[in-house]
Amino acid sequence: MQLSKKIVVLGHFGVGKTSLIRRFVENSFSDNYKVSIGVHITKKVVEFEVEDTMSLILWDLEGTDEIKTIRDAYLLGTHGVVFVFDVTRPSTFQSLNTDLEIIKSKLPTTPLFVVGNKVDLVVVSELETLFKENNIKTNFLTSAKTGDTVNDMFFELAKLIK
Amino acid sequence: MLKKFQQEYATKNVQFILTDFEGTILESDQAFLAIKSNSHLIDIHPFFECFISIKDTLEDEIVFNCVHIVVDNNEYVTDIQFSKKDVGFLVVISDYTSHYIAYQAIAQTRNESIINGELITIKNAELEERERFKNLFIRNFSHELRNPLTSIISITKIISSTSLTSEQENMIQFLQESNANLKLLLEDILSISMISSGRLKLSENVFSLSQLFELITFTYNTKTASKGLSFEINIDKKAPDYVEGDRLRLYQVLTNLLDNALKYTNEGKITLNITFNQKRANKVNMRFEVLDSGIGISKDNFETIFESFTQLKTATENPGSGLGLSIVKGLLDLMNSEIKISSSIGEGSNFYFDISLKQPLQTSTKPILNTNKKSTKKSSKRKTDKKYRILLAEDDINVQTVLFKLLLNTGYFYIDLVNDGALVMEKLINDDYDLILMDINLPNVMGDEVTRLIRDFPFKNIKKIPIIGLTGYSFEDDFAGFKKAGMNAVIAKPFDDQDLIGLIFKHL
């Protein structure tokens, strides 16, 4: 049986979680915002080398402004977490460190990536200043729209949880 | 409503699947999903990959709500329950698609509304920041312009009083007109900046309408005559003489409208009508109308002419800032009024507005009797033999030169100079002065800060010295701040010579 790992993608609503997964799995993007409810699960096989592959089971969780309300059942058996926020909306990252603490309390040993999405809409240098001022550390800055660093991000996480 | 929910439960699809402990399907009732026996749960949908982590840890049961699964190209939104049994696991899949779709529609509306609200807030903050930056830029820029403009205006005036050839006189006259235009432009830019930043506060003082109209009559008789036009002012007999409001800003509105009429009228006349509308409680409502026989305005331009820096194409021979009507609109907004227009091409224009002004009780019945001309310019001639000592604290060499020349020419003053805020106190301790002319932007210690030090000084002869502030900042709250620091008066650069001398004598 092929190696299979579960990655949970979570964050506030409207940050682009579904779009990131769609970009990664289907290499497509839609400007239409459709609210996700509950959980959507998709599968993507990543290939590290010839005959060295992994199935990523991507759990796209309903966005919430209260991370602590995420159903524990959804997190069961998680191998990796991607926390996504929208770089254009401060409300999605102003309580970032608190949100991360909540996630870490639920999944203390699970690798976690912090991802700022929609970077195509901002000037990255200004963003870096803003993050520095607010003590925000990210693993990746992505754009589901342009595809910028989306594959790299998932691939890096896959390598980490392999 | 209850029936709807009952029906949903009555018709819901529930599928029961029995697996062994490894997830191989033993039985399925095929209620809505066609699942083959002996296949594995994982084959149904990637969701069931979670079974691998459940099978070894689950003791009783677990439910996953609102799980989207796609089977045979059909999407279902389901609740999925795993229960541990003696033979393996019972998996119950309940199809709540219609229920969750209804919920999704509500969530969609809610989230979109919140996101749009956030984006509007961010956009507004950006616009406010841009507006703040723009106003700060205008404020600083105009401040920097004021010192050189003061020098140019004053030196031009000094040169004009010397012996000149006819050609030089013509050039000086041209220079004076250009200076006046530049000064007006600067004031217009500041006005529009103050209005748009919300920093302009209207004053509430009793003033004489008749005197205001006298001034306007005098000014526009002259202005229209120089262009071969005539000026007419018609004042309703019921119009009160005294009202309470912001005289300066009402004057600014009327003169901007009249100047605009003047700009676009080449023959005929310009008329100002003041009509009494009504009186309620202690407020009188009046209509002000400015009519001209000028080129007129197309209806298409009615909106745009009130925008900043807008000038009609036909006005190329009449240069101006293009801010006049924008200022009118902004000021009338502040006065809870609205500028209106009726016009058509070739038939002149009529700009009008209705405004309510408080009527002070003691003067409410006094009508305007006449508009006799009176001189409004204050004389600065003084009858005194005494010479006063003035300390000038100013670092700009051009302004120093102008003030020296201006004040020494009067013959009433001795002038001492310091060009550094830190040196003012030392001068005051060592010498006696009758008055200080204090620039605000002094090096090392700002003029308002020096003023505070003076006012806190223990010796009365120093503490009480009158101080007149000289500033390139002309916002009202700047003035208020300087006065709060202890200045007796503040005058904005570029200042009128006579105004400054009058102010000095007022405080000596």
Side-chain angles (χ1 to χ4, degrees):
Chain A
M1 190 182 286
Q2 191 173 42
L3 185 62
S4 176
K5 298 282 182 181
K6 174 181 174 180
I7 291 176
V8 166
V9 182
L10 46 81
H12 292 231
F13 56 80
V15 297
K17 299 180 290 296
T18 307
S19 295
L20 279 174
I21 292 171
R22 184 178 294 162
R23 171 61 71 188
F24 178 54
V25 176
E26 301 170 11
N27 194 25
S28 66
F29 176 80
S30 166
D31 266 321
N32 295 330
Y33 169 52
K34 189 182 176 194
V35 171
S36 301
I37 55 161
V39 59
H40 292 254
I41 298 116
T42 43
K43 187 174 179 174
K44 164 94 174 178
V45 177
V46 291
E47 186 173 337
F48 301 107
E49 286 174 26
V50 180
E51 295 190 0
D52 181 9
T53 59
M54 177 195 280
S55 282
L56 291 182
I57 311 299
L58 301 158
W59 283 50
D60 176 12
L61 265 52
E62 174 181 333
T64 173
D65 35 19
E66 286 278 351
I67 294 299
K68 63 185 171 195
T69 61
I70 289 173
R71 296 179 179 110
D72 286 343
Y74 288 162
L75 303 178
L76 203 68
T78 299
H79 299 99
V81 179
V82 178
F83 181 89
V84 187
F85 67 87
D86 177 349
V87 295
T88 68
R89 281 168 52 217
S91 68
T92 67
F93 59 82
Q94 64 196 12
S95 57
L96 178 76
N97 291 329
T98 313
D99 290 343
L100 295 180
E101 278 174 26
I102 293 167
I103 297 164
K104 281 173 186 167
S105 70
K106 290 173 184 277
L107 299 166
T109 57
T110 309
L112 166 67
F113 273 8
V114 178
V115 174
N117 190 36
K118 305 190 189 179
V119 281
D120 56 289
L121 299 176
V122 294
V123 179
V124 173
S125 58
E126 287 176 11
L127 203 60
E128 283 164 354
T129 311
L130 177 72
F131 289 169
K132 206 170 182 180
E133 285 169 1
N134 292 283
N135 192 27
I136 288 170
K137 288 170 186 147
T138 59
N139 297 89
F140 283 89
L141 293 175
T142 59
S143 166
K145 189 171 187 174
T146 63
D148 194 20
T149 73
V150 176
N151 285 356
D152 293 347
M153 183 267 292
F154 281 112
F155 198 76
E156 281 300 313
L157 186 57
K159 279 202 289 188
L160 198 64
I161 60 179
K162 190 178 171 187
Chain B
M1 182 64 89
L2 188 63
K3 272 189 179 173
K4 186 187 161 201
F5 289 122
Q6 281 174 331
Q7 195 175 14
E8 193 177 287
Y9 275 82
T11 58
K12 79 172 179 181
N13 292 320
V14 181
Q15 180 144 352
F16 291 85
I17 302 166
L18 191 63
T19 73
D20 64 14
F21 287 109
E22 295 306 315
T24 303
I25 294 165
L26 303 174
E27 284 181 67
S28 167
D29 66 3
Q30 314 293 70
F32 64 99
L33 298 175
I35 295 169
K36 292 172 191 164
S37 293
N38 295 320
S39 62
H40 196 277
L41 270 180
I42 292 173
D43 299 330
I44 300 174
H45 185 266
F47 162 77
F48 291 98
E49 298 247 5
C50 72
F51 174 76
I52 294 161
S53 55
I54 289 168
K55 69 184 176 76
D56 298 326
T57 54
L58 188 66
E59 290 180 354
D60 188 12
E61 66 175 40
I62 188 166
V63 181
F64 292 85
N65 299 105
C66 198
V67 180
H68 296 248
I69 56 171
V70 180
V71 179
D72 296 333
N73 293 323
N74 293 316
E75 183 173 352
Y76 304 92
V77 192
T78 61
D79 285 356
I80 302 174
Q81 179 183 322
F82 292 87
S83 306
K84 200 169 187 179
K85 304 291 178 192
D86 294 340
V87 292
F89 291 95
L90 175 66
V91 183
V92 182
I93 306 173
S94 305
D95 176 18
Y96 288 118
T97 303
S98 58
H99 164 77
Y100 282 126
I101 283 175
Y103 169 67
Q104 196 277 340
I106 295 165
Q108 183 83 31
T109 309
R110 172 192 173 266
N111 290 10
E112 276 180 2
S113 161
I114 292 173
I115 291 169
N116 288 340
E118 282 177 20
L119 294 178
I120 287 169
T121 306
I122 291 166
K123 195 81 190 162
N124 284 343
E126 271 177 25
L127 289 174
E128 275 171 22
E129 180 58 26
R130 272 189 218 169
E131 192 64 20
R132 196 192 63 77
F133 178 79
K134 186 188 84 183
N135 288 321
L136 186 67
F137 174 79
I138 289 173
R139 182 169 179 259
N140 291 338
F141 179 70
S142 63
H143 175 260
E144 292 307 314
L145 273 182
R146 279 172 184 272
N147 274 348
L149 195 55
T150 304
S151 308
I152 295 166
I153 289 173
S154 299
I155 291 170
T156 307
K157 206 166 227 175
I158 290 164
I159 295 172
S160 71
S161 63
T162 62
S163 174
L164 300 170
T165 65
S166 169
E167 191 185 357
Q168 284 169 333
E169 268 181 13
N170 284 341
M171 285 192 287
I172 287 292
Q173 195 183 345
F174 178 75
L175 193 56
Q176 281 175 326
E177 282 168 14
S178 300
N179 289 343
N181 285 340
L182 193 57
K183 192 179 170 191
L184 276 177
L185 177 62
L186 191 64
E187 277 159 11
D188 274 359
I189 290 172
L190 277 169
S191 291
I192 207 76
S193 168
M194 285 166 75
I195 292 167
S196 60
S197 66
R199 293 181 72 177
L200 186 73
K201 302 279 181 266
L202 296 177
S203 65
E204 287 274 332
N205 294 312
V206 175
F207 67 92
S208 164
L209 270 179
S210 63
Q211 281 181 11
L212 184 76
F213 297 147
E214 280 169 24
L215 177 62
I216 287 173
T217 306
F218 177 75
T219 307
Y220 285 91
N221 271 335
T222 314
K223 280 191 173 184
T224 49
S226 71
K227 213 179 162 185
L229 306 169
S230 61
F231 178 66
E232 187 180 308
I233 181 164
N234 303 305
I235 306 163
D236 195 319
K237 284 179 183 171
K238 290 181 190 167
D241 190 357
Y242 286 91
V243 290
E244 200 175 325
D246 194 323
R247 178 192 175 280
L248 176 70
R249 300 303 171 188
L250 181 60
Y251 178 72
Q252 196 175 4
V253 167
L254 293 172
T255 53
N256 277 2
L257 288 175
L258 289 165
D259 284 340
N260 184 68
L262 201 58
K263 187 192 284 185
Y264 293 102
T265 306
N266 294 320
E267 55 184 40
K269 68 174 179 181
I270 290 167
T271 310
L272 172 61
N273 290 332
I274 299 103
T275 316
F276 175 89
N277 286 337
Q278 60 181 10
K279 188 185 170 193
R280 276 194 188 153
N282 65 336
K283 279 194 171 179
V284 59
N285 188 280
M286 286 182 289
R287 170 163 293 191
F288 292 80
E289 266 180 311
V290 174
L291 299 104
D292 65 56
S293 54
I295 57 172
I297 303 162
S298 154
K299 216 169 185 176
D300 299 341
N301 289 323
F302 280 9
E303 289 293 322
T304 51
I305 56 169
F306 294 107
E307 291 170 8
S308 298
F309 303 105
T310 296
Q311 283 200 48
L312 298 181
K313 282 175 190 169
T314 44
T316 46
E317 72 275 21
N318 294 302
S321 67
L323 289 169
L325 292 181
S326 182
I327 292 169
V328 166
K329 184 175 184 294
L331 288 176
L332 288 178
D333 278 349
L334 282 174
M335 295 176 187
N336 296 320
S337 179
E338 188 186 1
I339 185 73
K340 290 176 182 163
I341 177 173
S342 68
S343 179
S344 52
I345 295 286
E347 292 181 14
S349 303
N350 177 12
F351 287 87
Y352 60 99
F353 60 93
D354 295 317
I355 193 165
S356 289
L357 292 163
K358 274 189 199 166
Q359 207 174 348
L361 290 173
Q362 289 181 335
T363 55
S364 61
T365 55
K366 189 180 173 187
I368 297 171
L369 297 175
N370 58 58
T371 57
N372 288 340
K373 292 170 192 170
K374 284 178 188 171
S375 172
T376 53
K377 194 78 184 171
K378 288 175 189 169
S379 170
S380 65
K381 288 183 179 173
R382 312 285 151 180
K383 287 182 180 175
T384 175
D385 295 329
K386 189 184 169 184
K387 275 200 156 188
Y388 298 96
R389 293 199 59 164
I390 289 183
L391 177 64
L392 172 62
E394 169 65 66
D395 63 318
D396 186 295
I397 193 159
N398 294 320
V399 179
Q400 288 170 6
T401 309
V402 164
L403 284 169
F404 261 91
K405 197 99 181 163
L406 171 68
L407 298 175
L408 292 176
N409 277 355
T410 65
Y412 296 125
F413 308 111
Y414 298 110
I415 315 288
D416 267 357
L417 175 73
V418 283
N419 54 14
D420 188 321
L423 302 176
V424 173
M425 289 309 292
E426 189 186 324
K427 271 277 182 195
L428 293 179
I429 290 164
N430 293 327
D431 286 298
D432 290 331
Y433 292 98
D434 297 301
L435 185 138
I436 305 167
L437 285 176
M438 182 90 74
D439 181 34
I440 302 296
N441 260 12
L442 285 171
N444 295 318
V445 187
M446 296 279 281
D448 51 340
E449 191 53 41
V450 179
T451 303
R452 276 189 206 95
L453 293 172
I454 294 169
R455 296 300 181 229
D456 289 341
F457 206 70
F459 302 121
K460 264 191 181 174
N461 62 327
I462 291 177
K463 190 185 174 113
K464 298 281 183 187
I465 297 176
I467 302 172
I468 295 175
L470 306 171
T471 179
Y473 296 116
S474 58
F475 286 115
E476 284 168 19
D477 44 357
D478 290 326
F479 273 45
F482 302 146
K483 284 187 179 172
K484 202 176 172 188
M487 289 182 173
N488 299 70
V490 186
I491 189 163
K493 297 173 189 172
F495 41 76
D496 181 89
D497 297 354
Q498 300 306 317
D499 287 347
L500 178 65
I501 292 168
L503 200 61
I504 291 172
F505 274 109
K506 186 181 168 189
H507 290 282
L508 280 171

